[in-house]
Amino acid sequence: YVFDVGEETNIDAVSLSYGASHPMLKGGTIVSCILESMYAYGTIASREGSVLDPSEALRKRNILKHLPAVDFTAGIQNAFVERNSLSYIDDGHTRSIPEMEGGRFMFRIVGGLDDSMLAKPDPSIVKEGIKFISNFGVSSFAMNSETCVNEFPELDIFEDSKLISTITGTFDGSVTCHLRPQNIRESTSSSAPNVFNPLEAYELDFSGSSVSLRLKEATFNLDHRRVIVPTETTFGVRVNRSIVNMMFEGTTHAVIAWDFQGSSPVLQVSKVGYNPVRVSHEDRAQVHLLIKDL
């Protein structure tokens, strides 16, 4: 069998609205999002050698080979939250107002293929198992939040204090997950591999995945205290190598990086009862939170 989805398959726009509330719970949630230019294309076919033999030993390792050969891609070219949609997220403790523009998402599923089946070589394809590839990003997002804080008089935090935060920026990333039979000679488990146990039969490879975040603005206010994060601060995580079994036992080597663009987050403090945003420079003290290299 072979099923093809043509490259011309698309949906112009879809409006999604999600709401949640409960009479026994505080808060509620309403989020409306517009998805534009949704697309999908690919092929699903029977995998080579995928003949089910009832007399075959019930080894869990053989399940994957009965999956179809697949190369399927779908995605969204633009997603955004309407400014006038009155979207909010409230769990009874924190109330947030989300904003988003220029969102994009693409995922691809490949498996059971080799170069001989394609018109041109593709380093993403796999013959054994199945691989999930996802690329995503947002060109602009904002999150304005108010969080109730428990009273702590020793730190000058009193009743009805709220942590007010504003975060704006961009983010993007790529996540790759390859589900395949576990290598018997190189077990990622703390015990020897057991091909008859479904939790020991497969492994997941997340190598090459990465996520990055760039902040245009980030401030946090708690009564008479305020923390300001430098503009264009970036955070990133890259997974150089990660192979785990189905219980997520294994080895992972990742790099976590951050860059404050040569500056430091700043803590500003004013007199109790005054907001550091509204007082003059003379009535506000500040200190850099990072210590310079000696």
Side-chain angles (χ1 to χ4, degrees):
Y1 62 87
V2 177
F3 299 97
D4 288 321
V5 178
E7 295 186 1
E8 67 279 2
T9 303
N10 68 85
I11 299 177
D12 290 337
V14 173
S15 176
L16 297 179
S17 295
Y18 171 80
S21 62
H22 193 282
M24 300 297 291
L25 299 176
K26 294 182 178 180
T29 296
I30 297 176
V31 177
S32 298
C33 182
I34 306 297
L35 309 179
E36 293 183 335
S37 301
M38 304 173 64
Y39 62 91
Y41 59 88
T43 300
I44 300 175
S46 57
R47 185 175 298 222
E48 181 181 357
S50 59
V51 178
L52 183 60
D53 184 359
S55 64
E56 185 180 29
L58 297 178
R59 297 177 60 181
K60 300 296 183 180
R61 290 177 54 81
N62 294 332
I63 292 178
L64 283 179
K65 80 175 187 179
H66 300 302
L67 294 176
V70 59
D71 185 358
F72 186 82
T73 301
I76 302 168
Q77 293 184 352
N78 185 38
F80 61 94
V81 176
E82 290 185 295
R83 293 183 179 273
N84 300 325
S85 64
L86 302 179
S87 297
Y88 71 92
I89 302 171
D90 189 348
D91 61 3
H93 185 70
T94 300
R95 182 182 177 90
S96 302
I97 299 177
E99 297 179 8
M100 181 185 71
E101 293 180 352
R104 68 183 190 282
F105 176 76
M106 184 280 292
F107 76 89
R108 183 183 180 190
I109 304 175
V110 294
L113 304 172
D114 56 32
D115 289 340
S116 63
M117 303 178 184
L118 303 177
K120 57 182 179 179
D122 186 343
S124 300
I125 66 170
V126 291
K127 177 68 174 177
E128 190 173 34
I130 191 167
K131 179 186 284 189
F132 302 88
I133 304 170
S134 174
N135 295 316
F136 53 88
V138 171
S139 60
S140 177
F141 78 90
M143 184 69 75
N144 299 295
S145 304
E146 289 188 0
T147 302
C148 298
V149 179
N150 294 330
E151 185 178 9
F152 202 144
E154 292 82 359
L155 296 179
D156 296 326
I157 300 175
F158 304 106
E159 188 178 4
D160 297 329
S161 293
K162 291 185 178 181
L163 174 63
I164 301 175
S165 61
T166 298
I167 301 175
T168 65
T170 66
F171 71 85
D172 54 33
S174 175
V175 176
T176 301
C177 177
H178 185 189
L179 174 62
R180 63 196 180 201
Q182 189 181 47
N183 191 333
I184 300 298
R185 293 167 296 182
E186 298 181 8
S187 173
T188 60
S189 172
S190 57
S191 59
N194 179 359
V195 298
F196 295 97
N197 186 338
L199 296 181
E200 295 285 348
Y202 311 117
E203 64 185 14
L204 296 167
D205 187 348
F206 294 96
S207 302
S209 300
S210 64
V211 178
S212 65
L213 168 68
R214 181 181 296 273
L215 298 179
K216 297 180 180 178
E217 177 186 2
T219 60
F220 306 89
N221 288 60
L222 179 58
D223 293 336
H224 63 291
R225 305 177 182 90
R226 183 188 190 200
V227 174
I228 304 173
V229 179
T231 302
E232 297 300 320
T233 291
T234 59
F235 299 92
V237 178
R238 178 173 177 79
V239 180
N240 291 332
R241 186 176 186 273
S242 178
I243 300 177
V244 297
N245 62 17
M246 298 301 290
M247 294 186 294
F248 282 86
E249 290 182 334
T251 58
T252 297
H253 178 260
V255 176
I256 302 176
W258 59 91
D259 184 0
F260 291 107
Q261 306 299 327
S263 302
S264 167
V266 174
L267 170 63
Q268 295 181 341
V269 181
S270 61
K271 293 180 181 180
V272 176
Y274 293 87
N275 190 326
V277 179
R278 298 186 175 92
V279 300
S280 63
H281 179 74
E282 291 76 13
D283 296 328
R284 181 177 63 216
Q286 68 179 34
V287 62
H288 295 281
L289 297 180
L290 295 183
I291 300 174
K292 293 182 179 181
D293 296 336
L294 298 178

